[in-house]
Amino acid sequence: MSNILSVKLKLVYCLLPLQHHYQNKLKLAIIGQSLFGQEVYSNLRKQGHKVVGVFTVPDKDGKADPLAVAAEKEGTPVFKFPRWRVKGNPIPEVVDAYKAVGAELNVMPFCSQFIPMNVIDHPKHGSIIYHPSILPLHRGASAINWTLIHGDKKAGFTVFWADDGLDTGPILLQRECDVEPNDTVDTLYNRFLFPEGIKAMVESVQLIADGKAPRIPQPEEGASYEGIQKKSNAKVNVRRQSEVRHCIISGTCIGSGLPSGSVTLYGSSMLGGSVPEGQPLDIEGASQAARVTKNGLILYGTDGKALLVKNLQFEDGKMIPASKYFSSGESASVELTDDEKTMAEEIRNIWKGILSNVPAIEDTTDFFKSGAASMDVVRLVEEVKQKCAGVQLQNEDVYMATTFQDFIQMFVRKLRGEDQEEELVVDYATKDINNMTVKMPYQCFINGKFEDSENGKTYDSISPSDGSVICKVSYASVGDVDRAVAAAKEAYENGPWGKMNPRDRGSLLYRLADLMEEHQEELATIESIDSGAVYTLALKTHVGMSIQTFRYFAGWCDKIQGKTIPINQARPNRNLTFTKKEPLGVCAIVIPWNYPLMMLAWKSAACLAAGNTLVLKPAQVTPLTALKFAELSVKAGIPKGVINILPGSGGMVGQRLSEHPDIRKLGFTGSTPIGKQIMKSCAVSNLKKVSLELGGKSPLLIFSDCDMDKAVRMGMSSVYFNKGENCIAAGRLFVEESIHDEFIHRVVEEIKKMKIGDPLDRSTDHGPQNHKAHLDKLLEYCEIGVKEGATLVYGGKRVDRPGFFMEPTVFTDVEDHMFIAKEESFGPVMVVSKFKDGDVDGVLQRANDTEYGLASGVFTRDINKAMYVSERLEAGTVFVNTYNKTDVASPFGGFKQSGFGKDLGEDALMEYLKTKAVTVEY
């Protein structure tokens, strides 16, 4: 499941590496029930063990347990005893039937029946049982519920040897995981207890077969016993702290004294950030009125913290979204078209197949009152989705529409897209700054909605101007990645995006560009406070070029085309061969922190224009403009699931994206070491397509015949543009000897005129570095330069003011072997070396003596020299008598260890398309 990578495993024995083929096999009796039992049964058979009998519960309402269904299908003897004992005594016929199968070990994955001790002890190896708690904690029933109700920090399970006590037998193995802040019984079970429990049962059986299974006595110290969790003993105490109440609601269905009577609460989470507006709701005994909002029901604890409840279920079984608590009644029914009536009858047959005990499916037939269980919900949803591709259906929709008539009405509304008309709900972090109020989304954006991360974790987004916290941002988990990828895949395969006319797709991208332009001052302000970019530069370049990029690629949408190709066949040549350019599918995009919005635009615009869907991870330190972009994409009409934004860790989110089997392309901009790791993960996982824009050490050659004024101005821009946080920054300047001293003198004089300060001040030339760790790295870089013997002409220090400011810096006398001559600073550090007058080939050799090849430049009035040098510089971009002049129509990308693939221009489209050749004989 989604969070397995973050789970910490604790084994109570030294587990030897498992092998594919075991030498020792056992004859097993499986005693139990449920889907968990079915999976244990199937996996044990796959490992070569022989299941000689399955002992499970009788059919209910004419339906067999999943374990029985699987066993009967494979011809394994199945016994469905209603009970094993009468008045505490074993039933002889039942025990004899069990003994006849000749089991060497009883495996009890989940068993609700009381099994006699003469059955437990009968096999050669006895019996093992799975229990969903870390024994001796929470012995007895409802162990998962009690784990959450008690607020345990760890959850887990135990495989133990059965004895005559209540979950008191010796321990064979245990495993545990962290309990996340918003965990529920379902999330814990699905994420860890179910998948890892199946593996553990299989491992336990093999340890027994190999004679290596331990028997560790359970300690009585710390042991706890709880009874079965019921609604009757699950009242919410409204005079408790929110986190405690969340544990209770997570752990069980809760009876709550709302004005409408006893109501069961489902799906709670701690609410971070501001509480949305809503209608107050008085709750007897509560210290503060609850609030019904667009997001759900907000409850307050005695600590003042807010708790969000998603769904409510009334005593008659009816479930509604908590946000609809004050709704006046049922929505008007929709009239079905002939095609929809045909679909309704097909769905009626699906209901009939599931509810086989019901004579006929009427409009008033209730799914659950007819005997359906949770697994039937999963089956219904999946069968309907298979029959009607494209409909967005979830398990909770069945609980919201339990009768056949209500289900069809809900289904038709979803099919028509009417359920998507609700206004986008956004919890903003707001800030009054730059003569405006900026409204910043801070949650993950998945499938068209802003929502907290699955585990509820957040982190601080820090302003580099003064080190203050701008807001807390959701910290996406591996589970969030999986959900986002699933949403993008569904949108690509079954949503309107994949079926859309390319010209209509272009219209949506034009609309998105227009909205970005309408919000350009707000976007530039957010970019400035989050990344430290000077506001005027953020407005013109960070935001301005982003808008241009989307408009450029919007125009490409209906111009993507293949070719017709003459092929050499015997006459008469009755063959037609042509190529088609097709989208790749789900693409992942991982971007850096130096140009947060522009890097998003460079990759996303081409990706979307080609018809793909995407999951984008902004840099952890600069997520806010990407999340604002997500909000604008909804307003532009981009269908849900097409764009997904996940703030968080590169090591977690980025790594999962590179490994995910459903992603077909990953575009990355960042460091070379991380690029190599991503490329490796992409290859090992599913050989996904990759484009990489990586590190650089771009050389700038300044010849004595240059326009000196322009060379000084552009030379400074090549280094100090965007505080030096620029992938194509001139990492090393080679200045011809005869003009070297004059060039340095003029540069230093110009630096002294630069204003360092608040990036929102329109007169500021130089803002703060992006984050504290980067500033520290730059200061260390300068220290190394001095130690190696380079001459520090200017700067090299932190500016004495709040925030992460660094002086523009100049080094001269830099020799080729020095660290600062070879390694990228990614900051405002000018590294200058001389070259002898007239030594064109010599300086070219030095300029190319690097593993990087992103950009380069040359300043000279001699056009022949300029062309000669540009042909020989080993870089993806060569600037002649200019620098930093990128354009949306010109391809951008590097050579060597600066990566491969292109952003911008027609070449960028090709990065997100595949070519299909079709040959037709006629």
Side-chain angles (χ1 to χ4, degrees):
M1 300 301 292
S2 58
N3 275 355
I4 289 176
L5 290 178
S6 65
V7 168
K8 298 177 181 177
L9 301 181
K10 178 182 178 184
L11 306 182
V12 298
Y13 63 94
C14 293
L15 184 61
L16 296 176
L18 295 176
Q19 299 176 357
H20 292 293
H21 303 287
Y22 299 124
Q23 293 181 346
N24 303 311
K25 307 297 177 185
L26 293 177
K27 294 178 182 178
L28 308 174
I30 308 294
I31 304 176
Q33 64 214 65
S34 78
L35 182 62
F36 183 79
Q38 174 194 321
E39 290 295 320
V40 171
Y41 162 82
S42 299
N43 280 273
L44 285 169
R45 280 175 52 86
K46 287 178 184 177
Q47 296 297 341
H49 298 285
K50 184 175 182 180
V51 179
V52 294
V54 165
F55 298 85
T56 187
V57 294
D59 296 354
K60 182 181 179 182
D61 297 323
K63 295 191 301 176
D65 183 81
L67 173 57
V69 172
E72 287 170 342
K73 184 178 180 181
E74 295 178 348
T76 302
V78 176
F79 303 85
K80 302 178 181 179
F81 301 132
R83 62 189 62 84
W84 292 70
R85 301 186 299 182
V86 174
K87 296 181 179 180
N89 297 315
I91 302 173
E93 309 88 74
V94 172
V95 174
D96 290 344
Y98 159 77
K99 290 181 177 179
V101 302
E104 298 172 316
L105 173 69
N106 292 332
V107 179
M108 303 169 69
F110 174 77
C111 183
S112 62
Q113 297 176 312
F114 291 99
I115 310 301
M117 284 308 299
N118 58 342
V119 171
I120 295 289
D121 294 335
H122 177 74
K124 173 184 176 182
H125 297 290
S127 303
I128 60 171
I129 301 177
Y130 171 90
H131 185 77
S133 78
I134 307 170
L135 292 175
L137 279 175
H138 310 308
R139 291 171 175 167
S142 305
I144 312 174
N145 301 68
W146 290 113
T147 297
L148 292 169
I149 290 168
H150 282 265
D152 294 352
K153 300 302 182 185
K154 297 284 185 180
F157 58 79
T158 306
V159 179
F160 67 97
W161 300 93
D163 65 4
D164 59 357
L166 179 60
D167 303 328
T168 57
I171 294 170
L172 195 161
L173 69 82
Q174 286 182 326
R175 289 183 181 172
E176 65 180 37
C177 71
D178 293 329
V179 177
E180 303 291 353
N182 288 328
D183 263 331
T184 65
V185 172
D186 286 343
T187 60
L188 262 181
Y189 185 71
N190 294 328
R191 183 180 85 241
F192 183 75
L193 300 175
F194 180 86
E196 292 300 312
I198 293 165
K199 295 177 188 176
M201 290 298 282
V202 175
E203 292 171 12
S204 297
V205 170
Q206 191 56 47
L207 285 167
I208 294 169
D210 294 338
K212 299 175 181 177
R215 291 175 180 261
I216 302 173
Q218 284 194 43
E220 284 305 309
E221 183 179 353
S224 62
Y225 298 84
E226 287 97 3
I228 296 175
Q229 184 65 24
K230 300 177 181 178
K231 288 187 180 181
S232 60
N233 62 6
K235 297 290 184 182
V236 172
N237 182 349
V238 295
R239 295 188 180 91
R240 301 183 76 173
Q241 293 184 354
S242 289
E243 289 190 12
V244 176
R245 289 204 296 184
H246 168 56
C247 291
I248 296 174
I249 297 174
S250 300
T252 185
C253 306
I254 303 300
S256 175
L258 294 175
S260 52
S262 180
V263 177
T264 305
L265 313 180
Y266 288 94
S268 69
S269 60
M270 297 301 297
L271 186 66
S274 59
V275 176
E277 294 297 322
Q279 191 170 347
L281 175 65
D282 290 327
I283 297 180
E284 185 179 354
S287 59
Q288 184 175 348
R291 189 183 299 182
V292 178
T293 73
K294 292 179 180 179
N295 296 18
L297 175 66
I298 307 293
L299 300 174
Y300 294 92
T302 55
D303 52 5
K305 293 182 180 178
L307 181 74
L308 175 66
V309 177
K310 188 176 181 182
N311 297 320
L312 306 174
Q313 187 176 40
F314 299 96
E315 289 181 284
D316 63 359
K318 178 71 174 178
M319 181 182 283
I320 65 167
S323 60
K324 305 294 185 185
Y325 182 80
F326 285 119
S327 296
S328 57
E330 300 295 329
S331 57
S333 61
V334 296
E335 188 72 25
L336 272 60
T337 65
D338 290 341
D339 288 342
E340 289 166 348
K341 289 177 181 177
T342 300
M343 287 185 185
E345 289 308 308
E346 292 177 351
I347 293 174
R348 192 187 300 271
N349 289 332
I350 294 174
W351 276 54
K352 180 62 179 173
I354 296 172
L355 304 175
S356 56
N357 56 307
V358 178
I361 304 298
E362 308 291 347
D363 285 352
T364 55
T365 299
D366 188 286
F367 193 65
F368 297 103
K369 291 178 181 178
S370 299
S374 58
M375 280 307 302
D376 299 311
V377 173
V378 177
R379 177 180 168 186
L380 174 60
V381 168
E382 294 306 316
E383 286 197 39
V384 172
K385 286 166 68 175
Q386 186 178 37
K387 180 71 69 174
C388 309
V391 67
Q392 304 285 329
L393 197 63
Q394 298 177 353
N395 292 355
E396 67 181 32
D397 295 323
V398 183
Y399 292 99
M400 303 288 185
T402 61
T403 67
F404 181 75
Q405 177 177 273
D406 290 345
F407 185 86
I408 292 299
Q409 289 285 311
M410 174 273 298
F411 167 80
V412 170
R413 286 192 175 94
K414 284 184 171 291
L415 196 65
R416 295 178 181 180
E418 294 175 5
D419 66 315
Q420 300 176 17
E421 294 179 359
E422 288 190 17
E423 181 183 355
L424 176 68
V425 176
V426 187
D427 283 345
Y428 294 109
T430 60
K431 196 172 184 69
D432 293 321
I433 195 168
N434 203 24
N435 299 317
M436 68 181 78
T437 300
V438 294
K439 300 167 69 176
M440 300 170 285
Y442 58 85
Q443 297 167 295
C444 301
F445 183 72
I446 301 173
N447 204 26
K449 296 179 181 179
F450 285 104
E451 52 189 57
D452 291 336
S453 59
E454 185 181 68
N455 55 23
K457 289 184 177 179
T458 61
Y459 69 96
D460 293 337
S461 184
I462 303 297
S463 170
S465 295
D466 57 9
S468 64
V469 176
I470 302 170
C471 64
K472 290 189 176 296
V473 179
S474 290
Y475 190 82
S477 68
V478 171
D480 295 315
V481 176
D482 290 342
R483 290 190 300 114
V485 173
K489 185 179 181 183
E490 178 68 18
Y492 177 74
E493 294 180 350
N494 299 314
W497 187 253
K499 304 177 180 69
M500 190 176 295
N501 181 298
R503 195 162 295 167
D504 293 338
R505 189 164 67 239
S507 296
L508 290 180
L509 295 183
Y510 276 123
R511 173 61 180 150
L512 179 54
D514 290 344
L515 282 167
M516 292 170 70
E517 188 169 52
E518 289 175 24
H519 290 263
Q520 60 182 331
E521 288 85 2
E522 184 179 23
L523 286 167
T525 302
I526 296 171
E527 189 93 337
S528 184
I529 63 176
D530 201 26
S531 76
V534 172
Y535 176 77
T536 51
L537 178 66
L539 190 63
K540 179 180 183 296
T541 302
H542 289 234
V543 178
M545 192 172 187
S546 299
I547 296 167
Q548 293 175 24
T549 303
F550 271 97
R551 285 187 174 141
Y552 173 80
F553 283 108
W556 266 109
C557 288
D558 61 355
K559 300 171 187 67
I560 299 170
Q561 53 190 314
K563 301 175 182 178
T564 56
I565 302 171
I567 61 173
N568 187 20
Q569 298 290 333
R571 292 182 182 278
N573 187 351
R574 306 182 67 84
N575 294 279
L576 170 66
T577 296
F578 61 92
T579 60
K580 297 173 65 180
K581 296 291 185 181
E582 298 180 348
L584 299 171
V586 181
C587 298
I589 294 172
V590 180
I591 57 174
W593 43 259
N594 57 329
Y595 295 102
L597 186 63
M598 195 171 79
M599 291 296 98
L600 177 153
W602 280 21
K603 295 185 187 298
S604 299
C607 175
L608 295 170
N612 302 285
T613 58
L614 65 86
V615 180
L616 182 140
K617 194 203 86 65
Q620 183 172 342
V621 292
T622 53
L624 297 179
T625 43
L627 294 170
K628 188 67 180 181
F629 166 83
E631 178 192 353
L632 298 180
S633 75
V634 175
K635 293 180 178 179
I638 304 292
K640 66 179 182 180
V642 174
I643 295 171
N644 303 272
I645 310 289
L646 298 176
S649 158
M652 184 184 298
V653 176
Q655 184 64 28
R656 178 57 179 158
L657 288 172
S658 66
E659 294 171 344
H660 203 292
D662 289 333
I663 291 175
R664 295 299 170 191
K665 159 70 193 279
L666 191 146
F668 172 75
T669 296
S671 72
T672 297
I674 299 299
K676 290 178 179 180
Q677 178 61 42
I678 283 177
M679 190 173 178
K680 180 179 178 180
S681 298
C682 288
V684 170
S685 56
N686 63 339
L687 211 63
K688 56 178 66 70
K689 189 175 182 179
V690 182
S691 57
L692 304 172
E693 195 255 279
L694 307 176
K697 188 68 176 173
S698 302
L700 175 58
L701 282 57
I702 301 176
F703 290 94
S704 58
D705 59 355
C706 68
D707 178 334
M708 180 62 83
D709 291 340
K710 191 173 187 181
V712 169
R713 186 174 70 254
M714 291 291 183
M716 291 182 65
S717 175
S718 74
V719 175
Y720 304 126
F721 188 82
N722 199 48
K723 313 152 319 178
E725 296 168 353
N726 186 19
C727 49
I728 58 172
R732 191 174 181 194
L733 277 66
F734 294 92
V735 182
E736 201 159 7
E737 192 170 28
S738 59
I739 63 167
H740 174 273
D741 293 349
E742 179 187 358
F743 178 85
I744 296 299
H745 174 75
R746 293 180 61 170
V747 164
V748 170
E749 290 304 308
E750 291 300 317
I751 289 175
K752 291 176 181 178
K753 300 175 185 176
M754 292 172 64
K755 180 178 178 180
I756 302 173
D758 180 2
L760 293 175
D761 185 333
R762 304 308 192 264
S763 63
T764 295
D765 299 302
H766 190 79
Q769 305 309 135
N770 187 275
H771 52 279
K772 176 65 163 55
H774 183 54
L775 173 62
D776 292 342
K777 178 184 171 184
L778 288 172
L779 295 174
E780 182 183 4
Y781 185 92
C782 292
E783 289 174 3
I784 293 173
V786 172
K787 287 179 182 177
E788 288 191 331
T791 301
L792 178 61
V793 176
Y794 193 91
K797 302 183 185 66
R798 181 173 183 171
V799 178
D800 185 17
R801 58 171 293 158
F804 312 138
F805 292 85
M806 180 179 177
E807 297 174 335
T809 300
V810 179
F811 277 102
T812 60
D813 302 319
V814 178
E815 298 179 13
D816 295 351
H817 68 274
M818 291 180 177
F819 176 82
I820 64 173
K822 294 182 174 295
E823 296 300 322
E824 181 181 29
S825 71
F826 211 66
V829 183
M830 182 178 284
V831 177
V832 185
S833 300
K834 297 179 186 177
F835 67 95
K836 292 182 179 179
D837 291 348
D839 189 10
V840 177
D841 290 326
V843 74
L844 273 170
Q845 184 176 354
R846 294 171 70 191
N848 288 328
D849 186 20
T850 173
E851 276 299 302
Y852 300 109
L854 188 57
S856 60
V858 54
F859 278 83
T860 177
R861 285 191 175 98
D862 185 338
I863 186 61
N864 292 321
K865 185 190 296 181
M867 296 305 294
Y868 179 87
V869 170
S870 64
E871 286 177 5
R872 287 159 178 77
L873 283 170
E874 298 170 358
T877 298
V878 181
F879 297 108
V880 178
N881 293 328
T882 188
Y883 210 88
N884 287 324
K885 189 165 285 186
T886 53
D887 187 87
V888 294
S890 177
F892 179 94
F895 299 160
K896 300 188 285 190
Q897 291 199 46
S898 288
F900 52 83
K902 297 295 181 183
D903 291 324
L904 304 180
E906 184 180 0
D907 294 56
L909 274 177
M910 300 304 110
E911 299 292 336
Y912 295 94
L913 292 165
K914 58 190 176 188
T915 302
K916 178 183 288 183
V918 180
T919 297
V920 181
E921 184 173 279
Y922 56 92

